Amino acid sequence: MVNALKRSASPSVTVQSSHSTKKLRIIDDFAKTSPFPDFRRPSPEEAWEVHKILAQLHPNTKSFRDTSPPKGNSAQTCGHAPNVIEALIGTILSQNTSGKNSSRAKSNLDAVFGRNNFASIATAPLDSVIEAIRSGGLANKKAATIQSLLHSIHAKHGEYSLQHLSASEESGSRMSDEAIMKELVFYKGVGPKTASCVLLFCIGRDSFAVDTHVYRLSKMLGWVPQSADRVRAQAHLDLKIPSEVKYGLHVLMIKHGRVCKGCSGRGSEDSCMLKSYIRTRDESLC
């Protein structure tokens, strides 16, 4: 039966390079300069004001970096895990599904192959990885992405490890945020948002990841042009939002985007303190 299953194949260096060139160019272009240089929002004061409002609305949401061991697996915690590859896999599994489904998929992946047994996952028949993560949705695509990621890491570094990305300053080999982002987005299937989540939750750097909720609320707040796509919105906001508030604001905006019917983006007339803040802010500028 195993022999009949489809085996995974390592991607070629040429294919890998073609997928990463565009992402690397975006990081190079917008590392220091916003894609919207004339767009002044958000100011540091606005970022802190919104953080304060959302912290009051969601007092049970931890809006500070938690240094204690993570509760739940890396799919449930947006990549909060000490192992960088595990954080990447967890973030990939969390895409386009609920936290419950992605957590179940990660737990099953660990049960089938062993936690962080990346060699076993990389060399397994693709169908067995698909079956292990099926509960997370888009299993065919995510399984192929995970195996491609592992093959590429091993081809580049000779081992299944990216722990050099989390090296401390005391070790003398601490990498810059930009260098870590470039390393992560080099891999097929890892975009700026996924890389930013790993940078923020796993490696402990100040980075502002933009998911669907953050993107929608940022447009509602007038923090990015309406024409901005998610990648350029993230590049702009990562430069504009003060480092000290990036973690908390990201977490709180996701929480608010998930639960607030007034900010659902579906023409809801429900009340919302964030909407009231926007009206008051705009009226004061008239």
Side-chain angles (χ1 to χ4, degrees):
M1 176 66 69
V2 171
N3 292 334
L5 294 174
K6 182 180 179 181
R7 291 263 172 196
S8 59
S10 298
S12 68
V13 174
T14 302
V15 171
Q16 186 68 45
S17 178
S18 67
H19 279 289
S20 62
T21 300
K22 183 178 179 181
K23 294 181 290 182
L24 291 170
R25 187 184 302 119
I26 288 173
I27 291 175
D28 278 332
D29 289 346
F30 305 132
K32 306 297 182 185
T33 304
S34 168
F36 315 111
D38 298 324
F39 204 86
R40 296 186 178 182
R41 280 182 173 159
S43 67
E45 293 76 17
E46 284 181 312
W48 281 109
E49 285 170 0
V50 171
H51 178 277
K52 181 179 179 180
I53 291 168
L54 295 180
Q56 291 173 345
L57 283 171
H58 310 289
N60 296 324
T61 299
K62 287 186 178 180
S63 58
F64 55 89
R65 182 173 277 112
D66 190 351
T67 57
S68 62
K71 297 177 181 179
N73 60 48
S74 60
Q76 189 178 11
T77 58
C78 298
H80 184 195
N83 186 284
V84 179
I85 296 180
E86 181 179 22
L88 273 171
I89 290 174
T91 307
I92 290 167
L93 290 173
S94 70
Q95 295 169 358
N96 302 111
T97 191
S98 67
K100 181 178 180 180
N101 288 341
S102 62
S103 179
R104 187 186 302 121
K106 179 61 168 63
S107 295
N108 200 43
L109 187 72
D110 292 346
V112 172
F113 297 104
R115 182 179 178 184
N116 297 348
N117 190 348
F118 305 125
S120 180
I121 298 171
T123 57
L126 177 60
D127 286 354
S128 65
V129 181
I130 291 172
E131 190 58 35
I133 65 172
R134 189 172 298 283
S135 62
L138 300 175
N140 289 27
K141 180 180 179 180
K142 292 177 181 178
T145 296
I146 289 168
Q147 286 199 324
S148 172
L149 170 69
L150 294 173
H151 292 153
S152 298
I153 290 170
H154 193 272
K156 186 172 185 178
H157 297 292
E159 60 180 344
Y160 297 105
S161 176
L162 289 176
Q163 291 309 105
H164 64 283
L165 300 182
S166 62
S168 65
E169 196 163 359
E170 291 75 16
S171 70
S173 55
R174 186 179 190 270
M175 296 174 65
S176 68
D177 295 354
E178 184 179 348
I180 294 171
M181 286 289 288
K182 285 183 176 180
E183 165 89 17
L184 293 174
V185 303
F186 168 81
Y187 302 110
K188 183 179 178 181
V190 179
K193 192 271 284 188
T194 295
S196 181
C197 282
V198 172
L199 200 64
L200 181 67
F201 292 105
C202 171
I203 300 176
R205 304 291 183 88
D206 296 316
S207 185
F208 196 73
V210 174
D211 78 333
T212 55
H213 299 294
V214 176
Y215 180 55
R216 176 167 49 79
L217 292 180
S218 296
K219 282 193 169 185
M220 187 180 79
L221 285 160
W223 284 4
V224 295
Q226 291 300 309
S227 60
D229 60 25
R230 270 175 51 181
V231 171
R232 284 167 176 77
Q234 178 171 305
H236 174 76
L237 293 170
D238 197 46
L239 290 171
K240 288 289 187 180
I241 292 172
S243 294
E244 300 82 6
V245 76
K246 284 180 180 178
Y247 183 97
L249 193 57
H250 169 83
V251 172
L252 287 166
M253 288 178 79
I254 288 178
K255 176 66 175 180
H256 191 73
R258 285 175 175 169
V259 304
C260 180
K261 293 181 180 179
C263 293
S264 66
R266 302 185 184 92
S268 173
E269 296 299 325
D270 288 8
S271 62
C272 170
M273 282 181 64
L274 201 55
K275 280 184 172 180
S276 298
Y277 159 78
I278 294 170
R279 283 194 296 270
T280 302
R281 179 199 67 186
D282 292 349
E283 286 171 1
S284 69
L285 296 175
C286 296

